[in-house]
Amino acid sequence: MITSEQRDKVRGWFAGRLPDDLFEELVEVSVDREEVTVIGRIPGPRLTEDVSDAEREAAVQGRIQEFRERTREARMAVAREAEHRFRRKVSWGVECGAERALFTHVAAPVMTRLRQPERQVLDTLIAGGVARSRSDALAWCVRLVQRHTDDWLTELSDSLEHVQRVRAQGPDVEEVVDSSTEDGDEG
């Protein structure tokens, strides 16, 4: 699990490293074991107030595509440095008006063993047209749980960070670190 301090350090590095004119604002930097996702706000297109929703949506999509193409080399240079520094892939996205778009992102495989009743839930989602595969069905379930339990997951995450801080202050921390490096295991 990534601690708040680690997340803050990654966000701080990006805030300091990104070119000043790349985003209007750095909206979000999220981190997990495989990926860092950087999302910034870009200016919306200049439109009159009487444009249709379809025209507004097309203009925003055009602005996002223009930004993506124009900034590709600068974003790739920052990503190379960050991937070396943090040992995680970097993904990019933007917010433009009310629209949020991710350019690239990691879809990490996750292995799990499910018993028949759990597999039947996934198969029912497939049969109902909610998902194309068990993998899609499982991802759908995770998104559903995430949407309805944000407060609970935040509290759990905070609790885990507290446990990690307490463990780090324990008396045997140095002994554990020293014994693992003696065997030639560097991580």
Side-chain angles (χ1 to χ4, degrees), residues 45-52 55-56:
R46 294 182 190 169
L47 301 169
T48 61
E49 290 187 30
D50 62 340
V51 299
S52 68
E55 184 177 346
R56 184 175 310 283

Side-chain angles (χ1 to χ4, degrees), residues 42 46 63 116 124-125 141 166 171:
I42 62 172
R46 294 182 190 169
R63 175 59 52 91
Q116 187 179 38
T124 301
L125 292 172
C141 291
V166 171

Side-chain angles (χ1 to χ4, degrees), residues 14-185:
F14 275 97
R17 175 57 184 88
L18 291 175
D20 288 337
D21 60 346
L22 187 65
F23 297 126
E24 284 185 330
E25 172 189 4
L26 183 59
V27 174
E28 180 181 327
V29 177
S30 57
V31 184
D32 69 8
R33 291 187 304 184
E34 292 85 18
E35 177 180 30
V36 176
T37 303
V38 179
I39 299 175
R41 176 165 299 286
I42 62 172
R46 294 182 190 169
L47 301 169
T48 61
E49 290 187 30
D50 62 340
V51 299
S52 68
D53 289 343
E55 184 177 346
R56 184 175 310 283
E57 183 179 330
V60 167
Q61 291 302 318
R63 175 59 52 91
I64 290 170
Q65 189 61 36
E66 182 276 334
F67 173 86
R68 182 179 186 183
E69 297 301 323
R70 178 175 45 84
T71 63
R72 178 172 278 132
E73 287 189 32
R75 288 183 295 105
M76 287 174 59
V78 172
R80 276 191 297 275
E81 289 178 41
E83 287 172 3
H84 178 73
R85 180 181 185 100
F86 301 114
R87 302 199 188 295
R88 291 170 174 83
K89 289 293 185 188
V90 175
S91 299
W92 298 93
V94 295
E95 285 185 359
C96 183
E99 181 76 20
R100 179 178 270 211
L102 289 177
F103 300 153
T104 57
H105 54 280
V106 174
V110 179
M111 296 296 294
T112 187
R113 296 185 188 282
L114 300 175
R115 299 193 188 287
Q116 187 179 38
E118 297 156 336
R119 294 190 309 268
Q120 288 172 336
V121 169
L122 300 181
D123 292 342
T124 301
L125 292 172
I126 294 166
V130 173
R132 295 182 314 253
S133 66
R134 284 181 171 174
S135 177
D136 285 345
L138 189 56
W140 183 87
C141 291
V142 169
R143 286 190 302 272
L144 183 64
V145 169
Q146 180 184 26
R147 187 176 308 129
H148 293 292
T149 60
D150 279 341
D151 293 339
W152 181 82
L153 289 174
T154 299
E155 187 176 333
L156 180 61
S157 179
D158 292 345
S159 296
L160 289 171
E161 287 182 23
H162 177 73
V163 168
Q164 288 178 341
R165 283 193 304 272
V166 171
R167 280 186 187 153
Q169 297 170 359
D172 298 332
V173 172
E174 290 181 20
E175 291 177 24
V176 172
V177 171
D178 291 342
S179 67
S180 67
T181 56
E182 287 174 9
D183 297 334
D185 179 17

